[in-house]
Structures are given as C-alpha cells and as structure tokens.
C-alpha cells in the first residue's frame, strides 16, 4: 500500500494539475467550499421566504424546497446536466453543473436550517424590536438574523462536511474529483481495488471527521462568547 | 391623551377585553392591576398595536391609531414599551442596544446617538456598563438598560408590562426608582404591576381589572383604603393576607 | 422543443424500463431496511454498553461509516471487497447479482450507522430511573433493555427512523454508479436511447416525490396515532 501512495499521491491530491485541470482532493474541497459559500445567501433568502408573512412568497418557496428535498441529489444533478444547457443556452462543464446542483440542493436544506434558526430566536426579540419602531425588514436584518446565524455556525460546518461528501456524485458525470481519481488509479493498478478504495475512504474520513471535530470545538468556543449567551432565565411570573 | 372607546378584543372565542372605555390624560401616571388573566397586559399591548382589537377605537391625541395606511413603525417609535422579560438584544452591548433604533430610524449619526445613549444609561445608573453585554448584566441592570433603550427614541408615552415581575426581589427597588424618576419628568406612563407600594406612592390613578373589564378606577388612596367593587376588595385582601383561609 | 410524449410513459419498452427501475429501487430500499434495522440496534447497544471496548467499537463503526460518502462505500464493496473473498465465494457472487448484493451491503452498513445514532438518542431519552427500576427488579443489562427500555424508546425513535428511511429511499439512487438497474440508471438509459430526457426524468422525479410523500405521510400518521407519552 505504501508504494501505491508514493506513486499516486500527487494525482490523488490535485489531479492532473498543473498539466491539466484541477482534480482530486483539491477539487473536492474547492467545489464543496464554493458550493457552500454560494448556497448560504440562497439558503438565507429561501429561509426568510419560508417565514414570510406574505403567502405569495411563502407558498412557492415552500413547494420548491419540498420538491428539492424529496428527490435525491443525483436527480438534481441530472436536472442540471440535461436541462440547464437547453434552458440557459450555455453549456456548462462538469464542474459548473455540479456546482449549480449543489448550490440548489444545499440552498434548500440550508433554508430549513435558517428557518429553524429564525424560529429559535425568542418571540420577545421580535416584539421589542417592532415596539421600538423598527420595520419587519430592519428587525430581521439587525436583530433576528444576526442571532439566528451566529447560533447556526456549528450547523454550517456540519453542512460543509455533508457537502464534501455530496461532491462524490460528480463521479457519475465524469467530474475529476477524488472518487473519480481513485477509480482511475484503480483501472491502472487493477488488482488492488480493496487497497485503493480503502485509501479513498480513509481520506474522506480524515477530512470529514477532522471538520466535525472542528465544528464541535467551535460550538464549545461559541458557548463562551459574551454576545452569544442565552439570556439568564427570569423567574416565572404571573400573566 | 390615550382614549379607549368601547374597545373589545377576542383571542379566538375567548374575550380578553370587554367594553373598555377609559381616558388617560397627558402627564398622567396610571397603574393597572388585577388578578392573573384579567387582561391588563392585553390592554397595554393594544396601545402600541402589539395586539389588535376587533371593535371600538383607540385614539392618541385625538387620532385613531388604526387608520388604513398608517405607518405602524413610525407610530410605534413614538411609544416606549418595556417588557416583563426585558428582551434586550443579546448580540449587542448595552449602549448598542440603545443606539440601534435612533440610528436606524432617526438617522442620527453614530456619535450623536452614542452621546445620547450614554446620557440615558447614566440616568438609569449604568453608564459604567455601557459596553457590557446583556449576558454580563443582572436582571435589574438589564431592565434598566431596557428602559434606557425605550427612552432613546424620546417618546411622550411609556408603557410598562409588569416591569419587575421577572426580577429577584432585591433588584425590584432599583428599577422602580428609575420609573419613579420618569414620573417627575411629567411623562405619560401606563404601568401594569403588582407592586402596590409603588402604585400608592407614584400613581395618579389606579385601574383595577378582572376578566377583561375595568371594574374600578380611583386614586391610589381611595383604591387601597376604600375599595368599592367586591372583586377589588377580594383582590386586595388576598394580596395582604396570602395565607388566610376562607 | 418536441412536445411531451405521455404515451411513452404509459406503455412500450421505455415504460417497462422505467417501471422496472422503480421496482429495483423499492427492492433495494426494502432489503436494506430489513438488514439495517437489526444491525443498527446492535450498534446502538454497543455504544451504550457498560464495557469501554464495546463502546469504542460502536463509536468507531459510526464515525468511520458516516464520514465517508455513500458513493465511496459502493465503490469499495463492488470493486474492492470481492478481491478479499476466497475464489469460490467470488465466483458464486459473479454468477449471481453482484451489483445488487454490493449495493445492499453498502447501503446496509451506511444506513445502519445513521439509524444507530437515532436509536441511541431514543434510548437516552428514556430516564435513567427506568433502567435502574429494571435492574432493581433483577433483570440483567440485556433483558432490561429488551423488556423495559427498548419498548419505550421505540416510540421516540420511530419518527427519526422514518426520516432515515426517507434518506435511504433517496440514497438508492447512488447505486447506479455500480450498475444497479434502479430508477436513475433506467431514466438515464431511456434518455440515451430515445433522447426523451424530459419524459424520463419527469417519471423519475414524480416517482421519488410520490414515495417520499408516502413515507413522510407515514411519519405524520405515526406521530398522530402514537404520540410520545412521558410518565
């Protein structure tokens, strides 16, 4: 196994770069990072729409989120792969296709996380902001969302871990991410499939487990921040 | 200044306010008291439209507060509201809590807003805690910051919904002192409270509510020494002798 | 753009392919569920065992599986694992349906890891005093689990397990990567032979949504019929 690693580690990590497009583990992490960064604003927008007081905004978005969450990610990838070129007229490569699919898919999941985060902010916060005269939009922007998003930080790191795993589906459309590279290596060495795929699994494990531990540490650190404490519970009082 | 005309409010099938007809004059300090569920919180929350009403009118300075097309936010910015649970914004420091609304709504520059906020915090005795976060403040301190925050918009009317009910007993006094201070400035205050000592000392009038109705209205002296309505008499007796058997 | 051809979905060769794909997806999910649940209970018990070594084994299983994507699991069990088997076993596998077998194995291990965590949470939701009461009556660890804890934990656990079943249903789509002729595979096949991508994927999308709806509905019904009752 050692010589397997020694021979192929560069290919595994960066694909054919610089002699070709970026691939391997670097591409996996890049794709996941970019997808999450783009999915977050979409998720916040969709999450806000999900709690909107206006039905005309709330219902279509709820339907959209329901559909995206009811089908496998691979379905969304296929939608992007087969239909996006004919709708937009632009032929995207595998990276672009996978990125769009991930942004849409993760955006829908983040919408639910954001919605739960917003719901988790005590109603009194909303009332006191409105009592001061702040509009709904100002209240969301300056009071509710800052609190909701800060509490969501560990969830976001976990979502990053999930997205890294999701990038593996790029294999199916020929994206040269790390699983695809592993398969390429396997066709070259042929009789050592178990070793190759065990190494692949180990790579994912180290990356994802490491990030989960980071999320855990982050949660501990955040619990100590002054501006994030839950307010001390007042004594129970009569109505 | 604040006028209720035949106001009725329901929560579904439950009627929370029944035929409310009251007037609160400018500069008056009115205490609203009564047993749990009497509707006193609901009453005060209708004044800044946190609760809607189904019939009747509420007017402030002669103007109906429910006309079509009213800018609710501008309306609310002229009324200060202090909650039982303080509701300070935990992600902002004390002074930032107080400057948020003035900067966002009155377009004050940060410098001017901070200056005014600091003066208000000083007034409630917490200038030294300006940069502290709510998590670092005691309940009494938080409530005082909440009062400063409400005052930052310079409202002519201040509403208090059981401001000391959620506090440990030793902190009640510091908050009541701040409220009494406001009385001296001639603000119009409506305070829902159980603190009878405060009511006796500070209020111009007491409204006693039960089951959604205002059953008695009197000066503190008359109310506490010569209650007229049997429910009021029962209520005061229960408060004074909590362990008496029937 | 050519018009939507409904007839395609109602009869004919493409219809048969799509339908068989749906059938295989359902089969895959059902088989996995049958094997994954007992395994999940076992792993959950390992994780709460009084013995540190067993606890560590359970934790290693869960973390090891969950931090690796399903696709990599499938690739391992299809391309990697058969090599490790003795010759005779390998021949028998290749003669049979190795794609399906690998997929079921991979999905079972994967799904069990997630379900084990939900079961563990369910068990932990039962107050410790219940466990102590069982022990006080004279039951050992396992019998206490079986007679006292698990029956109560079941009610709390069923909703998240139904959630996992939903995930499982969607995860069956990844099996296409090792050539299992499930719905995605068939939809792609219909697309490449007939270029009728809209019809093929409309069918697949509707099928996934329909079953998702049924599973979600089941969860809602269960929650309504068997609400969690605390002491």
């Amino acid at each position: 196994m050692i010589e397997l690693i020694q021979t192929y580690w560069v290919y595994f990590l960066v694909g054919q770069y610089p002699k070709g497009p970026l691939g391997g583990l670097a591409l996996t992490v890049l794709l996941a990072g970019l997808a999450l960064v783009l999915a977050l604003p979409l998720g916040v927008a969709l999450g806000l729409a999900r709690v909107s007081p206006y039905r005309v905004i709330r219902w279509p978005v709820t339907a959209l989120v329901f559909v995206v969450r009811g089908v496998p990610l691979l379905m969304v990838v296929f939608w992007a792969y087969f239909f996006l070129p004919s709708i937009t007229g632009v032929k995207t490569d595998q990276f672009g296709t996978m990125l769009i699919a991930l942004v849409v898919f993760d955006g829908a999941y983040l919408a639910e996380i954001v919605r739960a985060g917003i719901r988790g902010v005590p109603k009194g916060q909303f009332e006191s902001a409105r009592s001061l005269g702040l509009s709904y939009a100002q209240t969301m922007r300056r009071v509710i969302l800052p609190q909701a998003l800060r509490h969501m930080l560990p969830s976001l790191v976990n979502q990053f871990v999930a997205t890294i795993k999701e990038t593996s589906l790029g294999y199916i459309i020929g994206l040269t991410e790390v699983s695809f590279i592993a398969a390429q290596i396997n066709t070259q060495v042929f009789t050592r499939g178990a070793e190759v795929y065990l190494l692949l699994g180990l790579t994912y494990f180290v990356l994802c487990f490491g990030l989960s531990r980071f999320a855990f540490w982050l949660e501990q650190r955040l619990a100590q921040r002054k501006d994030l404490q839950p307010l001390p519970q007042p004594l129970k009082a009569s109505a | 200044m604040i006028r209720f005309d035949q106001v009725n409010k329901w929560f579904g099938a439950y009627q929370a306010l029944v035929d409310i007809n009251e007037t609160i004059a400018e500069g008056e300090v009115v205490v609203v008291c009564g047993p749990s569920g009497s509707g006193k919180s609901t009453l005060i929350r209708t004044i800044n439209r946190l609760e809607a009403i189904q019939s009747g009118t509420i007017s402030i300075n002669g103007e109906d507060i429910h006309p079509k097309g009213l800018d609710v936010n501008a309306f609310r910015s002229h009324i200060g509201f202090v909650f039982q649970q303080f509701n300070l914004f935990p992600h902002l420091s004390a002074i930032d809590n107080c400057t948020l609304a003035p900067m966002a709504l009155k377009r004050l520059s940060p410098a001017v807003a901070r200056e005014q906020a600091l003066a208000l915090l000083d007034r409630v005795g917490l200038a030294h805690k300006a940069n502290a976060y709510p998590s670092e403040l005691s309940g009494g301190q938080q409530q005082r910051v909440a009062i400063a925050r409400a005052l930052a918009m310079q409202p002519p009317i201040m509403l208090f919904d059981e401001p000391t009910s959620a506090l440990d007993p030793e902190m009640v006094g510091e908050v009541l002192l701040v409220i009494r201070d406001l009385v001296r400035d001639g603000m119009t205050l409506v305070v829902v409270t159980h603190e009878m000592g405060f009511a006796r000392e500070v209020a111009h009038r007491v409204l006693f509510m039960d089951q959604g109705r205002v059953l008695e209205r009197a000066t503190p002296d008359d109310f506490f020494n010569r209650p007229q309505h049997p429910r009021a008499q029962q209520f005061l007796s229960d408060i004074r002798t909590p362990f008496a058997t029937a | 753009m050519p018009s939507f051809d409904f007839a395609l979905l109602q009869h004919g060769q493409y219809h048969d392919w799509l339908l068989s794909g749906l059938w295989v997806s359902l089969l895959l999910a059902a088989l996995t569920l049958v094997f994954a649940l007992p395994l999940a209970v076992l792993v959950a018990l390992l994780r709460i065992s009084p013995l540190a070594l067993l606890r560590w084994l359970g934790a290693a299983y869960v973390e090891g599986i969950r931090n690796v994507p399903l696709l990599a699991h499938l690739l391992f069990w299809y391309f990697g694992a058969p090599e490790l088997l003795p010759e005779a076993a390998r021949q028998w596998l290749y003669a049979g349906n190795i794609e399906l077998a690998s997929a079921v194995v991979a999905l079972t291990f994967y799904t069990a890891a997630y379900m084990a965590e939900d079961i563990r949470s369910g068990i932990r939701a039962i107050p410790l005093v219940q466990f102590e009461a069982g022990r006080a009556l004279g039951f050992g660890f396992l019998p206490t689990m079986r007679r006292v804890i698990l029956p109560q934990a079941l009610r709390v656990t069923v909703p998240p397990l139904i959630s996992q079943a939903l995930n499982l249903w969607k995860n069956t789509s990844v099996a296409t990567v090792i050539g299992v002729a499930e719905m995605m595979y068939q939809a792609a096949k219909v697309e490449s032979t007939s270029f009728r991508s809209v019809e093929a994927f409309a069918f697949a999308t509707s099928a996934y949504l329909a079953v998702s709806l049924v599973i979600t509905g089941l969860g809602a019904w269960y929650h309504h019929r068997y609400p969690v009752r605390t002491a």
Side-chain angles (χ1 to χ4, degrees), chain C residues 89-101:
Chain C
R90 210 182 315 156
Q91 294 297 13
W92 174 77
L93 258 180
Y94 279 114
N97 195 342
I98 185 177
E99 289 85 7
L100 191 66

Side-chain angles (χ1 to χ4, degrees), chain B residues 7 15 30 37 48 51 62 66 72 74-75 79 84 93 97 105 111-112 125 158 163 168 174 181 209 236-237:
Chain B
V7 171
Q15 188 163 9
V30 174
N48 78 337
E51 300 289 352
H66 292 103
V72 182
F75 164 72
I79 302 179
Q84 180 178 335
S93 66
N97 261 275
L105 300 172
V112 175
M158 283 280 280
D168 286 337
E174 71 197 51
D181 202 43
M209 285 186 74
L236 287 171
S237 144

Side-chain angles (χ1 to χ4, degrees), chain A residues 57-74:
Chain A
I57 299 178
R58 205 171 64 229
W59 282 4
V61 172
T62 304
L64 174 73
V65 168
F66 175 76
V67 168
V68 173
R69 284 166 60 104
V71 299
L73 171 56
L74 191 54

Side-chain angles (χ1 to χ4, degrees), chain B residues 23-45:
Chain B
T23 306
I24 297 168
E26 190 172 337
E28 216 188 343
V29 177
V30 174
V31 162
V32 183
C33 66
S36 283
S38 54
K40 32 189 217 299
S41 279
T42 311
L43 182 74
I44 200 178
R45 283 162 66 98

Side-chain angles (χ1 to χ4, degrees), chain B residues 120-141:
Chain B
L120 284 170
L121 284 173
D122 188 44
R123 188 174 167 188
V124 303
L126 287 171
H128 61 296
K129 291 278 189 185
N131 294 317
Y133 283 87
S135 62
E136 302 172 288
L137 301 173
S138 73
Q141 291 171 327

Side-chain angles (χ1 to χ4, degrees), chain B residues 9-223:
Chain B
K9 184 201 171 43
W10 284 265
F11 284 112
Y14 171 72
Q15 188 163 9
L17 294 176
V18 182
D19 292 339
I20 306 289
N21 287 290
E22 294 302 322
T23 306
I24 297 168
E26 190 172 337
E28 216 188 343
V29 177
V30 174
V31 162
V32 183
C33 66
S36 283
S38 54
K40 32 189 217 299
S41 279
T42 311
L43 182 74
I44 200 178
R45 283 162 66 98
T46 55
I47 300 178
N48 78 337
R49 291 183 53 163
L50 275 180
E51 300 289 352
I53 57 174
Q54 278 74 46
S55 82
T57 32
I58 305 176
S59 22
I60 296 184
N61 283 337
E63 285 177 32
D64 183 7
I65 69 173
H66 292 103
K68 276 226 176 306
L70 175 74
D71 183 353
V72 182
N73 301 318
F75 164 72
R76 286 198 180 123
S77 65
H78 292 118
I79 302 179
F81 198 102
V82 176
F83 294 84
Q84 180 178 335
Q85 310 285 4
F86 342 129
N87 290 336
L88 287 183
F89 306 133
H91 61 298
L92 299 175
S93 66
I95 194 163
D96 287 336
N97 261 275
C98 297
T99 56
L100 177 64
M103 288 194 336
L105 300 172
K106 289 165 78 161
R107 306 271 155 83
L108 293 183
S109 74
V112 175
R114 279 187 76 89
E115 204 185 302
Q116 290 183 357
L118 213 47
L120 284 170
L121 284 173
D122 188 44
R123 188 174 167 188
V124 303
L126 287 171
H128 61 296
K129 291 278 189 185
N131 294 317
Y133 283 87
S135 62
E136 302 172 288
L137 301 173
S138 73
Q141 291 171 327
Q142 285 186 54
Q143 192 62 301
R144 287 190 274 153
V145 173
I147 295 174
R149 178 176 70 173
L151 287 172
M153 293 299 287
Q154 297 169 335
I157 301 173
M158 283 280 280
L159 307 174
F160 294 83
D161 188 359
E162 302 210 39
T164 57
S165 296
L167 295 175
D168 286 337
E170 68 268 18
M171 292 189 256
V172 167
E174 71 197 51
V175 173
L176 290 179
L177 275 174
V178 169
I179 302 179
R180 197 182 64 176
D181 202 43
L182 297 176
V183 174
R184 295 202 187 112
D185 289 350
M187 291 188 79
T188 310
L189 304 184
V190 184
V191 185
V192 173
T193 185
H194 295 307
E195 295 293 328
M196 298 297 122
F198 171 80
R200 293 174 89 124
E201 214 187 298
V202 156
H204 297 138
R205 255 195 318 146
V206 174
L207 296 181
F208 174 76
M209 285 186 74
D210 190 23
Q211 296 185 337
R213 289 172 206 274
V214 177
L215 295 181
E216 190 158 332
R217 49 190 80 68
T219 63
D221 181 51
D222 284 339
F223 179 72

Side-chain angles (χ1 to χ4, degrees), chain A residues 213-230:
Chain A
R213 291 284 99 192
F214 173 68
F216 186 69
W217 172 85
L218 197 64
E219 206 167 345
Q220 309 281 58
R221 274 292 297 268
L222 285 177
Q224 288 163 22
R225 274 177 66 131
K226 306 183 291 185
D227 58 344
L228 273 191
Q229 302 286 9

